[in-house]
Amino acid sequence: MEQEYIILLQKILVVLFSVTLFWKIIKHMCGLLVIEKEPVTVLVTGAAGQIGYALLPMIARGVMLGPDQPVIIHMLDIEPAAEALNGVKMELIDAAFPLLKDVVATTDVVEACQGVNIAVMVGGFPRKEGMERKDVMSKNVSIYKAQASALEQHAAPDCKVLVVANPANTNALILKEFAPSIPEKNITCLTRLDHNRALGQISEKLNVHVSDVWNVIIWGNHSSTQYPDINHATVKTTNGEKSVRDAIANDNWLNTEFITTVQQRGATIIKARKLSSALSAASAACDHIRDWVLGTPKGTWVSMGVYSDGSYGIQPGIMYSFPVTCEKGQWSIVNGLKIDELSREKMDATAKELMDEKTLAYSCLIDD
Amino acid sequence: MAKEPVRVLVTGAAGQIGYALVPMIARGVMLGADQPVILHMLDIPPAAETLNGVKMELVDAAFPLLKGVVATTDVVEACTGVNVAVMVGGFPRKEGMERKDVMSKNVSIYKSQASALEQHAAPNCKVLVVANPANTNALILKEFAPSIPAKNITCLTRLDHNRALGQISEKLNVQVSDVKNVIIWGNHSSSQYPDVNHATVMTPSGEKPVRELVKDDAWLNGEFITTVQQRGAAIIKARKLSSALSAASAACDHIRDWVLGTPEGTWVSMGVYSDGSYNAPAGVIYSFPVTCKNGEWTIVQGLAIDEFSRKKLDLTGQELTEEKELAYSCLS
């Protein structure tokens, strides 16, 4: 009897061992199988333009969402640009991007917005010589009102929106107002370009790598009233981590030339290139989305233009650039940072400009 | 532990292709996501201010991998210590110009850049010539930089290769990443021969030959070939500018596969110094199917060449021989 039990026990052990081994082999093989993620649909408006041309290959190579994230690109532009837009589509096909699962090139805003998970609004009416601010504002208000509707009705739920076209903050505000079913936290504007420019200026001044500088802040409007703030920025030096202000040891430069350089960098680029920034704007747009979706690195924040909730004494109801961290696809304003007197003035000045822009935008709507 | 940065030179960096290419290099598309780079950008003095604007934008983009930028009009400074050289700069053909005029200007440019590279680049510098006439510019560069190994001097036909993959994927309505092993033979010009005879598509039931799946030899031997050959002109017609985005992307693919190796079972097309394989003329830069390993390319040998293909290989070889003669006549 005992003999039978021992044999039975042995049989059970053998069976258990085989099953466990078999299971481990199956799991290992499944691990080797690369299961591709579902593609994410990314819309770029104004896609036939300069920024679009720089941005699209970045998206298609995984710079925006990661090297393992397949994408479907929707490109929208206006009718006069239809042939150029098709040329860009042809080039995207010619580049044989492994991550690019489909390209839709269209002048129809409904088709463009269909099923979109991420929308980068680069298209807008550029200011031409002789135009008054009110004229530019008026044209852009109409554009963003129409696109808000289309996005709201046709985009995927939880679509994340980044407005790049200037006036970025106010265009984003209009978009938010006319797409009430898109959560206001999903509508942002680009100040990452200014943030990156500030990092670049500090790294050049200190002769360090730009990846060794972090936690600058861009407050307010993506315009010349923006406030590049280094009071909480850190730099890694050969003697360890220091505050940027201590490392630079030149408050005068930090409070004047540094600020104006960053504020006016756009104009400087135009003067040198005879064209506005495209490469760096596109790159910043990728950084903005990537950090938003995949999260900011620990201990680091970035700057994003977001719907103000009254933090830091800034009026709610405008799109204002704040320091934010991102986790699980959501941004949160970094609270509790000390604001000195100089900073307070500058933060309020840019907020005032945004209030004025909002008033101007609404007056254009009434005139419509 | 961060790797030592690799120095990458881009000539003609203030132009359209340069503007598309430099952010790709700075993001690791060319050499891998963990490979820091130092960019050297060269252009002619009239473009100096624009070039500086591009440098400013590279600084403004705060690229983590970009460890330095040198923007210069001095070819010696540009070539110093360079590990990878992408020659985008060249004299473009303008309306009314004869082929000989363009050839003549480019021959001078590539002769002097050859010298500078040979004297100042890092040992084992890898060179990719993009500017047209790409094959012949590369040949001139090789002739006047004798201490650079001939195998280190290549020209770009990866754009045509990728275009061919794109056309097949569109025809079959499959993902472009499921198509492989097309070949571009010969000259990066309208005499190139896009060959699908050894190309395959990954289907749910395994790899199948392209010819079998397309089931349209007339299209494969006719419209497909001319579409790929003339794609450059089609892009110019639509954009009013020549291909920049796709050319830059192809340049990154060319260098990346050369340096990091081609995937198992896959080859790519590169314009390389011909050793007479497949009866192509020796002593010209001719596009062949190659695999890459340990930083070296090797021509894929033993592929069957049918009669139709033979004619096309010879035609493009003939054109390259003529271009070589024209180039040499410009030198005398």
Side-chain angles (χ1 to χ4, degrees), chain B residues 188-204:
Chain B
H188 176 65
S189 73
S190 55
S191 77
Q192 64 178 260
Y193 173 44
D195 174 4
V196 299
N197 291 312
H198 309 278
T200 57
V201 181
M202 180 59 82
T203 70

Side-chain angles (χ1 to χ4, degrees), chain B residues 233-302:
Chain B
I235 301 293
I236 292 177
K237 187 162 177 287
R239 293 192 64 227
K240 310 291 180 275
L241 289 165
S242 60
S243 317
L245 180 163
S246 49
S249 190
C252 288
D253 289 340
H254 174 114
I255 297 287
R256 189 200 58 246
D257 287 348
W258 188 1
V259 171
L260 300 179
T262 43
E264 181 81 26
T266 307
W267 64 66
V268 294
S269 303
M270 282 173 66
V272 297
Y273 194 63
S274 171
D275 60 356
S277 293
Y278 294 99
N279 268 322
V284 293
I285 305 280
Y286 192 99
S287 181
F288 287 100
V290 300
T291 52
C292 302
K293 196 174 174 180
N294 297 332
E296 309 249 341
W297 54 264
T298 310
I299 294 174
V300 176
Q301 300 288 356

Side-chain angles (χ1 to χ4, degrees), chain A residues 105-363:
Chain A
T106 181
T107 53
D108 173 6
V109 70
V110 171
E111 187 184 1
C113 291
Q114 207 73 42
V116 154
N117 306 109
I118 295 186
V120 186
M121 321 297 280
V122 179
F125 205 92
R127 176 130 162 212
K128 299 198 172 113
E129 229 172 321
M131 276 179 89
E132 290 290 330
R133 246 184 115 227
K134 195 180 163 79
D135 305 320
V136 189
M137 181 69 80
S138 173
K139 289 209 181 296
N140 279 305
V141 161
S142 310
I143 291 172
Y144 279 85
K145 184 176 166 190
Q147 298 202 330
S149 260
L151 260 183
E152 182 182 45
Q153 289 172 53
H154 302 284
D158 204 38
C159 175
K160 287 175 161 56
V161 184
L162 166 61
V163 176
V164 176
N166 280 319
N169 303 54
T170 303
N171 286 339
L173 186 67
I174 295 299
L175 200 151
K176 177 221 163 285
E177 296 295 320
F178 287 95
S181 70
I182 298 182
E184 64 197 31
K185 64 183 173 62
N186 279 18
I187 299 174
T188 63
C189 76
L190 189 72
T191 53
R192 182 59 173 269
L193 177 53
D194 313 283
H195 181 104
N196 286 350
R197 284 169 171 167
L199 293 175
Q201 289 305 303
I202 299 297
S203 77
E204 288 213 306
K205 185 75 171 175
L206 290 171
N207 200 24
V208 299
H209 289 140
V210 73
S211 42
D212 291 333
V213 187
W214 61 93
N215 290 355
V216 299
I217 304 167
I218 302 294
W219 298 99
N221 198 3
H222 176 64
S223 73
S224 56
T225 68
Q226 64 178 263
Y227 171 44
D229 173 4
I230 46 78
N231 289 309
H232 308 278
T234 311
V235 55
K236 190 160 98 178
T237 70
T238 42
N239 305 327
E241 280 177 30
K242 286 185 174 185
S243 79
V244 162
R245 202 170 269 285
D246 287 346
I248 289 191
N250 186 346
D251 281 356
N252 187 43
W253 181 82
L254 279 169
N255 296 341
T256 54
E257 198 185 313
F258 164 72
I259 291 177
T260 51
T261 298
V262 176
Q263 286 174 338
Q264 294 164 14
R265 188 67 158 186
T268 310
I269 302 291
I270 291 177
K271 186 162 177 290
R273 292 192 66 228
K274 311 292 180 277
L275 288 164
S276 59
S277 317
L279 181 163
S280 48
S283 191
C286 288
D287 290 340
H288 174 115
I289 297 286
R290 190 200 57 247
D291 287 349
W292 188 0
V293 170
L294 300 180
T296 42
K298 200 166 163 65
T300 309
W301 64 65
V302 294
S303 304
M304 282 172 66
V306 297
Y307 196 64
S308 170
D309 62 355
S311 296
Y312 294 100
I314 301 302
Q315 293 96 319
I318 48 173
M319 289 285 178
Y320 192 94
S321 181
F322 286 99
V324 300
T325 53
C326 303
E327 196 181 348
K328 300 196 174 72
Q330 308 251 356
W331 54 263
S332 314
I333 294 175
V334 176
N335 277 307
L337 298 173
K338 280 188 64 182
I339 306 297
D340 64 22
E341 212 182 298
L342 176 75
S343 302
R344 184 77 255 160
E345 266 173 52
K346 293 198 178 290
M347 285 164 69
D348 290 341
T350 184
K352 172 156 195 319
E353 187 185 56
L354 281 167
M355 292 302 296
D356 291 343
E357 277 189 22
K358 179 177 181 175
T359 308
L360 180 60
Y362 274 83
S363 76

Side-chain angles (χ1 to χ4, degrees), chain B residues 69-137:
Chain B
V69 184
V70 173
T72 180
T73 54
D74 173 9
V75 71
V76 171
E77 186 185 1
C79 290
T80 300
V82 151
N83 306 108
V84 175
V86 186
M87 322 296 280
V88 180
F91 205 92
R93 177 138 165 204
K94 300 200 172 107
E95 227 173 324
M97 276 178 91
E98 290 290 330
R99 247 184 116 226
K100 194 175 163 84
D101 305 320
V102 190
M103 182 69 81
S104 174
K105 290 209 181 291
N106 279 305
V107 161
S108 312
I109 292 173
Y110 279 84
K111 183 176 168 192
S112 68
Q113 298 203 330
S115 261
L117 260 182
E118 184 182 45
Q119 289 171 53
H120 302 282
N124 206 29
C125 175
K126 288 175 159 58
V127 184
L128 167 61
V129 177
V130 176
N132 280 318
N135 302 54
T136 303
N137 286 338

Side-chain angles (χ1 to χ4, degrees), chain A residues 53 61 63 83-84 87 90-91 93-94 97 101 196-197 265 269 272-273 277-280 283 287, chain B residues 19 27 29 49-50 56-57 60 63 67 162-163 170 175 231 235 238-240 243-246 249 253:
Chain A
Y53 198 65
R61 283 280 188 189
V63 174
E83 218 193 339
M90 283 161 66
E91 283 212 72
I93 291 166
D94 289 352
F97 293 114
K101 298 304 176 186
N196 286 350
R197 284 169 171 167
R265 188 67 158 186
I269 302 291
R273 292 192 66 228
S277 317
L279 181 163
S280 48
S283 191
D287 290 340
Chain B
Y19 197 64
R27 282 279 188 191
V29 174
E49 217 192 341
T50 307
M56 289 197 288
E57 283 213 71
D60 289 352
F63 292 116
K67 299 303 179 188
N162 287 350
R163 284 170 171 166
E170 290 229 300
Q175 291 301 325
R231 188 66 158 185
I235 301 293
R239 293 192 64 227
K240 310 291 180 275
S243 317
L245 180 163
S246 49
S249 190
D253 289 340

